[in-house]
Amino acid sequence: MTHLIEVDSVSKYFGNIMALKDVSAHVNAGEVTCVLGDNGAGKSTFIKILCGLHQASDGQYRVDGEVANFASPREALDAGIATVYQDLAMVPLMAVWRNFFLGSELQQGKTPFKRMDVAKSKQTVVDELGKMGISIRDPEQPVGTLSGGERQSVAIARAVYFGARVLILDEPTAALGVKQAGVVLRYVVEAKKRGLGVILITHNPHHAYPVGDHFVILRRGEVLGDYQKKDIPLEQLVQMMAGGADLETLQHELEKAAAQTGDDELAEAATAFGEETEQLGLGDE
Amino acid sequence: MVRRIGGEPSQPGGRYKDVTTDAPVDTDDRLIKAGLLKKLLTRPEFGSIIGAVAVFAFFSVITENFFTVDAISAYTNPAATLGIMAVAVALLMIGGEFDLSSGALIGGLGITMALLIQDAGAPVWLAMLLSLALAVGVGVFNGYMVIKTKLPSFIVTLGTFFIVQGAGLGFTRLISGQTTIYLSDYLEGSDWTRILFASTPFAGIRIPVYYWIVIAALATFVLLRTRYGNWIFAVGGDAASSRAVGVPVNKVKIMLFVNVSVSAWLVAMFNTFRFQSAQIGTGVGLEFEFIIAAVIGGCLLTGGYGSAIGAAIGALIFEMVRQGLAFARWEADWFKLFLGLMLLGAALLNQFVRIRAQRARS
Ligand SMILES: Nc1ncnc2c1ncn2[C@@H]1O[C@H](COP(=O)(O)OP(=O)(O)O)[C@@H](O)[C@H]1O
Ligand SMILES: [Mg+2]
């Protein structure tokens, strides 16, 4: 079958740094694909290819089964693919409403007098943010005066508003508190129910598991696995994500340091760490 | 083909009517109406308006005749050409770039036209158009070089500055053996040039002043009310983020450089047709005055913030001080002192406003 979005054996090199190698993944309409991986695994690089910021060095990118070569994010947006970037978000000195519509401004009037529809833009921003449970005091206020969570919410509201078919979110919950992260995840589910394909990037399996339909795990630029939800319990996802072996190594290091220095506090920390790892169902079975 | 789910993005509210959200919306109590004064305080041109009023009041007190028609025309006429350039430079600075070639270009474009008329025998209109084409070419060159090389525009346009100055001098000497070209004989029968660029339509106020007002108003409209203005702020504020949401960053920057060069062409027309001559070296050194006027008008050196009307007012302050000192019969030396203080004051004020705007509310 043809998928809404599909990448096939995509690789990406930055000079001689290999950020992605032979990555294949897909998302269908009404489905949430979660991409999980530790820092530096290549998650952001992956979505930057999907949204037209980077072009793949190798492999194929298909939309509706047809090869897509987006030269810019504009082209991806025109195809209905909207993205919330982790590191590229808002212009801090610009007003909230200007940021929201940046690149896709609402206009009115005939050509020589074409201008932005400021009143409608502001109203839309207030309405759309209201739907996320966020009220901004004044759409004229610069984005730089918003808190990190509010800023993230504006970016998400913008992508949801303009993402006609596919919504891509790069670590949307990383900077948020529990309550706001919940709001974001609910938004993911709503977008899915409306028939959008959602690609959710995160390094937190506890955020991914409740909303995801299938999970692509990236490690050092390669796909470690692509699982349907029914095929993988949360514990195993957590383990694959962090790498159980890595955690054990960490515990051993702590113990070794404690033994060398005779530091009780460090020893206690190592024990606590071991118990926690066990509780999470990590470590060697 | 691409099938859209739901309506077009240009129909706000129409698409998600079916989505019910039960999230609590805590509006009302936090929606405090910002006071008019507070709103004014956050405008980038605020400092320049206060400055203009203060300077005007100061010289009105210490000289008796600061608001006679003579005095007003004495400072508005030079303020007009400075202001036209300052507005263009302000837009460029808001877009995050500099242009150090803009001053020298005024002389270069004037002399190009004069050479074409005197030595190539071109009709006046054709010489004007060719000079305009050169202006566009220099603007595109500046913009393209900055984008392709990713060098700071400060360096690139410093190079252009020397090229324009050197080529201007070299070619002018080579072709005509002169450094000043007199055009009065050639302009007979081209009365329209005088009407367009060198007339005094009303009460001693020369025509560049009217251009200045129209250009400042137009630039302000574009900056604040059109999407191009949105893009100018955005490319100067954060070029990478702007590109990521589909803003044509390179096109915007090139257009801003071209706008500066074309403004230099307009000023070259004012000069050449007023004095009926063109002199190489005209405008050299003025590029810093344009930048200073833009900074007094609220532009940040780091881009992403500023005002077109502010730059126009900055130019007015500049010339009011210069003429005011002359009216008061003070030594011209004081001008630089005044200028330095004003520049520092404006830069500090802009810095303060910027910090306020970027401070995260936790
Ligand atoms: N523009 C770039 N130039 C060079 N290396 C890059 C670039 N972008 C990412 N990388 C490298 O690619 C790897 C993956 O980065 P990234 O996709 O940002 O990871 P993640 O988002 O999973 O944390 C990292 O080693 C990073 O240093
Ligand atoms: Mg990342």
Side-chain angles (χ1 to χ4, degrees), chain A residues 73 78 85 89 94 98 105 115-116 124 130-131 133 135 137 144-145 147 150 160-161 164-165 190 194-195, chain B residues 3-5 9 12 15-16 19 21 24-26 30-31 224-226 230-231 241 243-244 357-361:
Chain A
D78 290 342
Y85 302 93
M94 286 175 80
R98 286 179 184 272
E105 286 81 1
R115 58 203 185 274
M116 291 190 284
T124 307
K131 285 181 197 163
S135 85
R137 283 170 295 182
T145 62
S147 72
E150 287 171 324
V160 167
Y161 183 72
R165 310 185 69 207
E190 271 172 12
R194 276 205 309 275
Chain B
R3 181 175 56 95
R4 287 200 185 263
I5 293 165
R15 185 138 42 106
Y16 302 126
V19 181
T21 45
V25 178
D26 50 341
R30 292 169 72 188
L31 201 88
L224 297 180
R225 281 294 171 266
T226 71
N230 226 23
W231 295 351
S241 292
R243 191 173 282 121
Q358 274 188 324
R359 186 182 53 201
R361 184 176 55 76

